[in-house]
């Protein structure tokens, strides 16, 4: 069975500070891992994903994440927070069930950026 | 480029009523999904469909019915709404053999 744990339901950072959102996963097979962002009253938008290959993955808006198999982690980082980064962030693991690749989501982390 | 749309965006209904949430995508994606989003739970899969006339249950299917007569549409029906079905519902789609899902804007459903 696959599962995702996001540590910290709320994270606050100052504008210009490092953003670190934590995600740990459990998977019985090599995982595909995703980070999605949700802005208020909108759907989820893909930030980045890891499937195979390079373990450091770069995404949109300056975000990146590193797949660490030994730590079963896929933490999301951004060197310098911007006010526009304020949103909810979801980590997800993909697995094949039946005919489709399904996503299991973490419970989300609300990021607040302070001026 | 409409992408994936959902209607209505907001709906208030009463316990026991039937409600249908619509999802339409213009990409001709094979797969479509319905999720519900509740505080503290992230998104949970209700049903998914691999193609027209092929549907399968997800994690939380009880109380919901889906159909897919056309590739582009994937309606979700609550046959007899309950208060526990108050939630935000998201539709998503993906291409065949793709691992990336694209999400609609969501429908906020309130059951009184």
């Amino acid at each position: 069975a696959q599962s995702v744990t996001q540590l910290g339901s709320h994270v606050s950072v100052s504008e210009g500070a490092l953003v670190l959102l934590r995600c740990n996963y459990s998977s019985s097979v090599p995982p595909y891992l995703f980070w999605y962002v949700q802005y208020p009253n909108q759907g989820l938008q893909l930030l980045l994903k890891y499937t195979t290959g390079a373990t450091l993955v770069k995404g949109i808006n300056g975000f990146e994440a590193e797949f660490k198999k030994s730590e079963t982690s896929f933490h999301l980082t951004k060197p310098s927070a911007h006010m526009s980064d304020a949103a909810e962030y979801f980590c997800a693991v993909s697995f094949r069930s039946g005919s489709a690749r399904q996503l299991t989501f973490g419970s989300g982390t609300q990021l607040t950026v302070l001026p | 480029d409409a992408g994936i749309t959902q209607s209505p965006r907001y709906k208030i209904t009463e316990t026991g009523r039937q409600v249908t949430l619509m999802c339409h995508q213009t990409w001709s994606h094979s797969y479509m999904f319905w999720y519900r989003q509740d505080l503290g739970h992230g998104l949970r899969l209700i049903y998914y469909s691999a193609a027209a006339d092929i549907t399968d249950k997800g994690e939380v299917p009880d109380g919901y019915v889906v159909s897919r007569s056309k590739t582009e549409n994937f309606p979700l029906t609550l046959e007899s709404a309950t208060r526990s079905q108050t939630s935000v519902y998201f539709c998503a789609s993906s291409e065949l053999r793709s691992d990336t899902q694209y999400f609609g804007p969501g429908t906020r459903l309130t059951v009184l």
Side-chain angles (χ1 to χ4, degrees):
Chain A
Q2 284 71 25
S3 66
V4 175
T5 301
Q6 291 184 240
L7 298 175
S9 58
H10 291 85
V11 170
S12 293
V13 300
S14 298
E15 191 174 19
L18 172 71
V19 176
L20 171 59
L21 304 183
R22 299 178 186 274
C23 173
N24 288 89
Y25 69 91
S26 172
S27 176
S28 55
V29 297
Y32 287 11
L33 295 160
F34 301 77
W35 276 100
Y36 280 86
V37 60
Q38 184 182 28
Y39 298 103
N41 297 315
Q42 294 186 26
L44 278 70
Q45 179 182 0
L46 180 67
L47 266 181
L48 49 79
K49 65 180 181 182
Y50 168 79
T51 54
T52 58
T55 56
L56 181 62
V57 180
K58 294 187 184 299
I60 62 172
N61 302 336
F63 284 93
E64 61 183 36
E66 187 170 12
F67 170 60
K68 292 188 176 180
K69 184 178 179 180
S70 61
E71 299 178 8
T72 62
S73 69
F74 191 58
H75 301 331
L76 181 71
T77 61
K78 182 174 181 178
S80 177
H82 192 273
M83 296 297 289
S84 61
D85 295 327
E88 189 155 23
Y89 293 80
F90 292 94
C91 183
V93 61
S94 172
F95 65 98
R96 182 166 293 280
S97 178
S99 61
R101 290 201 71 87
Q102 297 185 28
L103 290 173
T104 295
F105 286 87
S107 56
T109 298
Q110 183 69 46
L111 175 67
T112 299
V113 181
L114 305 170
Chain B
D1 185 358
I4 184 165
T5 57
Q6 294 183 236
S7 61
R9 293 294 313 278
Y10 302 89
K11 177 73 177 178
I12 299 174
T13 191
E14 295 178 339
T15 300
R17 290 190 179 267
Q18 182 178 79
V19 178
T20 296
L21 309 183
M22 304 301 294
C23 178
H24 176 78
Q25 52 108 353
T26 60
W27 294 309
S28 298
H29 285 174
S30 295
Y31 288 101
M32 296 187 75
F33 306 83
W34 273 108
Y35 294 87
R36 59 177 291 171
Q37 182 181 29
D38 304 291
L39 202 61
H41 288 280
L43 279 77
R44 292 179 291 175
L45 182 65
I46 304 171
Y47 271 96
Y48 69 95
S49 168
D53 299 321
I54 301 175
T55 62
D56 208 346
K57 295 178 180 179
E59 181 185 352
V60 289
D62 293 343
Y64 302 95
V65 174
V66 293
S67 62
R68 195 169 177 204
S69 58
K70 293 183 177 181
T71 300
E72 61 268 30
N73 297 323
F74 191 38
L76 176 74
T77 298
L78 290 66
E79 292 192 308
S80 179
T82 65
R83 288 182 182 152
S84 65
Q85 293 177 310
T86 292
S87 187
V88 181
Y89 291 85
F90 287 98
C91 180
S93 70
S94 70
E95 295 179 278
L96 187 66
R97 287 185 289 275
S98 172
D99 47 61
T100 300
Q101 294 184 20
Y102 298 89
F103 286 79
T107 294
R108 184 175 295 275
L109 176 68
T110 301
V111 183
L112 302 176

